[in-house]
Amino acid sequence: MPSSPRPNALQSLPGSTVQYVIDTLSTRIVSQEYAAEERLPSERQLAQDLGVARNTVREALDQLEERGMIRRRAGSGSFVTYDPTGAREAISPVAAETGPLQLQVMRGILEPEMVRLAIVNMSPRQIDDLSEILSKMEAVQADATAFVRLEEEFHRRIAEGTGNPLLMACYNLVIDARRQSFRTAMYRRHLTPARIAEYQRGYNGLFNAIAARDIEEASEFMKLVLIQDQKLLLQET
Amino acid sequence: MPSSPRPNALQSLPGSTVQYVIDTLSTRIVSQEYAAEERLPSERQLAQDLGVARNTVREALDQLEERGMIRRRAGSGSFVTYDPTGAREAISPVAAETGPLQLQVMRGILEPEMVRLAIVNMSPRQIDDLSEILSKMEAVQADATAFVRLEEEFHRRIAEGTGNPLLMACYNLVIDARRQSFRTAMYRRHLTPARIAEYQRGYNGLFNAIAARDIEEASEFMKLVLIQDQKLLLQET
DNA sequence: TTCTGGATTTGGTTCAGACCAAAATAACGG
DNA sequence: CCGTTATTTTGGTCTGAACCAAATCCAGAA
């Protein structure tokens, strides 16, 4: 019985059948028929329900995944990652497929060298700007989200301080991935006031080293912050 | 008759069979086995030649199309749109404003670490592919442009070997900048056959170190190639 | 020769089925 | 009650086949 539960989708539409599945599913997601962060039916189930082949469902899910509406885990299922209520920022495809560990690896490569370059290139004015960011960071008590935003800005300023456009472009990708990681992995859960204070000490030391143009010290502090991030990462199961 | 011209691809590799087709075709394109702007064999033909299903060939072509290496016209065929001479490729804004020195700095940061990661992540198949590129590089006598293209492909494969999408994305920016730099600075002026031979020795050592999974050795060879590039750079006024 | 119309080739889409590997779940033994 | 093992579920990949529509090719008519 391969007949036709579905009226007809084989007409007129651009890339018709797959598009039909995409439209159907994305509508259900946006309308929260499939709630955020919850599982949607298995591919085989969807194929049967919609009266199409599993292949077709897969292709539709591929595109939804690229759009950042769902996330898939082999053996587990497909999950909605679309938050209709919240700030909907476009996530780059790279960020989406970068895991927390891969992010840490990349940061471990870039950041220590980046701060070295920044130190020998930053103008006093840029350092002043940095200190302003630091002040705001030190004012934060418990607002994890605000703190992470400021961290991001702090890092971005350091990248700018290198004066290397290629490095800045690369680091922007890293920042995107980091923001994405923060959203999905829910760092904030573990970013307690005590830990924030710990980070503040790290960044304070980092800034002082930069202001003093102490390259090795700054590089070490940069690694320290990275290690703190890693600890936070390991807190999660 | 559907048997196996190709040894076996059904093992272990991440997305293996499709990847095999992608690698095979992109290598042929880069090495100009399929000349620029010319037709490549039909999907059905390729499927038969490579011993895979047409579906698989299609998926590979999809990705090559996304990379901008080919263009397809229904009823007509698939055509190479990759110009190894670099005549009219869109240069990213970053590449445009990145200087040769800044490029070298960035490569110095990324490449030695990249090859480390690649060594512990590359599958034997990926290493085989790498050796194939190397062979083509060693066959080059005096064609500087072709050699640089192959270098680029060699590096790209190493970046892919890390399995880190974020790193790959970053390194793609580096490659763009490098290509741009090559065009403007006219490396080829100084890329004499003698120097090409020098590079070939460097890459040969690099590959052997990778194949032997000798991390430190590989990292050193990677730096060596970089230094050779720097020398070439200094030749220019 | 030129034009026209069908046959052929080529990419585009969908289907149905098979097998794999990772994850989750159930069953079992301590 | 917990830990371990077997089973099932789920996404991931590949195959082979069929049909469509756009381009192209080619033979026959004007």
Side-chain angles (χ1 to χ4, degrees):
Chain A
M1 63 353 175
S3 47
S4 61
R6 175 167 59 94
N8 62 347
L10 34 153
Q11 270 76 9
S12 60
L13 297 222
S16 56
T17 305
V18 169
Q19 195 58 43
Y20 158 75
V21 177
I22 292 177
D23 291 346
T24 302
L25 294 182
S26 70
T27 299
R28 291 183 185 174
I29 289 173
V30 172
S31 70
Q32 308 199 42
E33 187 170 334
Y34 299 142
E37 211 56 37
E38 280 314 309
R39 256 199 50 180
L40 41 91
S42 76
E43 297 178 349
R44 290 164 176 89
Q45 189 63 49
L46 282 173
Q48 194 174 338
D49 292 353
L50 301 177
V52 300
R54 191 185 154 212
N55 266 341
T56 309
V57 172
R58 292 211 94 246
E59 192 164 329
L61 291 179
D62 282 346
Q63 296 199 222
L64 290 181
E65 189 174 29
E66 276 178 27
R67 290 190 202 171
M69 299 187 76
I70 66 169
R71 168 179 45 107
R72 287 141 114 187
R73 278 198 309 253
S76 181
S78 301
F79 301 83
V80 176
T81 61
Y82 176 80
D83 185 1
T85 70
R88 183 92 196 97
E89 300 176 46
I91 50 170
S92 71
V94 222
E97 58 181 337
T98 299
L101 180 59
Q102 294 166 326
L103 171 62
Q104 287 303 107
V105 166
M106 197 60 199
R107 291 183 60 194
I109 294 173
L110 277 188
E111 294 184 355
E113 299 303 317
M114 186 169 87
V115 75
R116 284 184 144 87
L117 292 171
I119 283 184
V120 297
N121 275 296
M122 284 179 96
S123 67
R125 172 64 186 284
Q126 286 176 308
I127 292 183
D128 277 355
D129 290 347
L130 207 56
S131 97
E132 204 172 314
I133 308 281
L134 181 66
S135 301
K136 290 185 187 173
M137 286 174 70
E138 293 187 320
V140 172
Q141 302 274 334
D143 186 342
T145 303
F147 188 73
V148 170
R149 295 284 156 167
L150 287 167
E151 271 188 291
E152 185 181 310
E153 191 63 18
F154 192 85
H155 284 148
R156 187 192 306 281
R157 295 295 172 91
I158 293 177
E160 280 175 9
T162 66
N164 187 326
L166 180 57
L167 194 154
M168 284 163 59
C170 286
Y171 199 68
N172 276 335
L173 294 179
V174 174
I175 287 178
D176 279 350
R178 181 167 182 271
R179 192 180 308 155
Q180 169 67 8
S181 176
F182 177 71
R183 265 213 296 285
T184 61
M186 310 242 176
Y187 279 144
R188 70 194 87 184
R189 284 286 148 70
H190 303 281
L191 199 50
T192 61
R195 289 196 180 275
I196 289 181
E198 212 175 309
Y199 273 97
Q200 283 166 340
R201 279 194 292 278
Y203 280 107
N204 196 322
L206 174 56
F207 174 77
N208 286 333
I210 292 175
R213 309 273 184 183
D214 185 334
I215 297 184
E216 293 311 319
E217 179 96 348
S219 187
E220 286 308 311
F221 268 109
M222 199 89 198
K223 291 178 193 165
L224 176 64
V225 172
L226 210 51
I227 289 173
Q228 289 175 333
D229 267 12
Q230 261 159 18
K231 274 198 248 171
L232 209 57
L233 196 65
L234 294 178
Q235 293 288 316
E236 334 224 357
T237 316
Chain B
M1 67 327 190
S3 48
S4 59
R6 174 169 59 95
N8 60 350
L10 32 153
Q11 273 76 9
S12 58
L13 297 228
S16 56
T17 304
V18 169
Q19 194 59 44
Y20 158 75
V21 177
I22 292 177
D23 292 347
T24 302
L25 295 181
S26 72
T27 299
R28 290 183 185 174
I29 290 173
V30 171
S31 69
Q32 309 198 44
E33 188 169 332
Y34 298 142
E37 211 57 37
E38 281 312 312
R39 257 200 50 181
L40 40 92
S42 75
E43 297 179 349
R44 291 165 176 88
Q45 189 62 49
L46 283 174
Q48 193 176 337
D49 291 352
L50 300 177
V52 301
R54 190 185 155 212
N55 265 341
T56 308
V57 173
R58 293 211 93 244
E59 193 165 329
L61 291 179
D62 283 345
Q63 296 198 221
L64 289 181
E65 190 174 27
E66 275 179 27
R67 287 193 204 171
M69 300 186 78
I70 66 169
R71 168 179 45 106
R72 288 142 114 188
R73 277 199 310 252
S76 181
S78 300
F79 301 82
V80 176
T81 61
Y82 177 83
D83 186 355
T85 67
R88 44 134 182 58
E89 296 178 47
I91 50 169
S92 68
V94 226
E97 58 181 337
T98 299
L101 179 60
Q102 293 165 327
L103 171 62
Q104 286 304 107
V105 166
M106 197 59 199
R107 289 183 62 193
I109 294 174
L110 276 188
E111 293 184 355
E113 299 302 318
M114 188 170 85
V115 75
R116 285 185 143 87
L117 291 171
I119 283 184
V120 296
N121 274 297
M122 284 179 96
S123 67
R125 244 288 272 305
Q126 286 175 308
I127 292 183
D128 275 355
D129 291 346
L130 207 56
S131 97
E132 205 172 313
I133 308 281
L134 182 66
S135 302
K136 291 184 194 289
M137 286 175 70
E138 294 187 322
V140 172
Q141 303 273 336
D143 185 343
T145 303
F147 189 73
V148 171
R149 291 289 147 176
L150 287 167
E151 271 188 290
E152 184 182 314
E153 190 67 14
F154 192 85
H155 284 148
R156 188 196 303 282
R157 295 293 170 92
I158 293 178
E160 279 176 10
T162 66
N164 188 327
L166 180 57
L167 194 155
M168 286 163 60
C170 287
Y171 198 68
N172 277 335
L173 294 179
V174 174
I175 287 178
D176 280 350
R178 180 167 182 272
R179 194 178 309 157
Q180 169 67 7
S181 176
F182 176 72
R183 265 210 297 283
T184 61
M186 308 246 177
Y187 278 143
R188 69 195 87 181
R189 284 287 147 70
H190 303 282
L191 200 49
T192 62
R195 289 196 180 276
I196 288 181
E198 212 174 308
Y199 274 98
Q200 283 165 340
R201 278 194 293 278
Y203 280 107
N204 196 320
L206 175 56
F207 174 77
N208 286 333
I210 291 175
R213 309 269 184 187
D214 186 335
I215 297 184
E216 293 310 321
E217 180 97 347
S219 187
E220 286 309 311
F221 268 108
M222 198 91 199
K223 290 177 193 166
L224 175 64
V225 172
L226 209 51
I227 289 173
Q228 289 176 331
D229 267 11
Q230 263 159 16
K231 273 198 249 172
L232 209 57
L233 196 65
L234 292 178
Q235 292 289 316
E236 335 224 358
T237 315

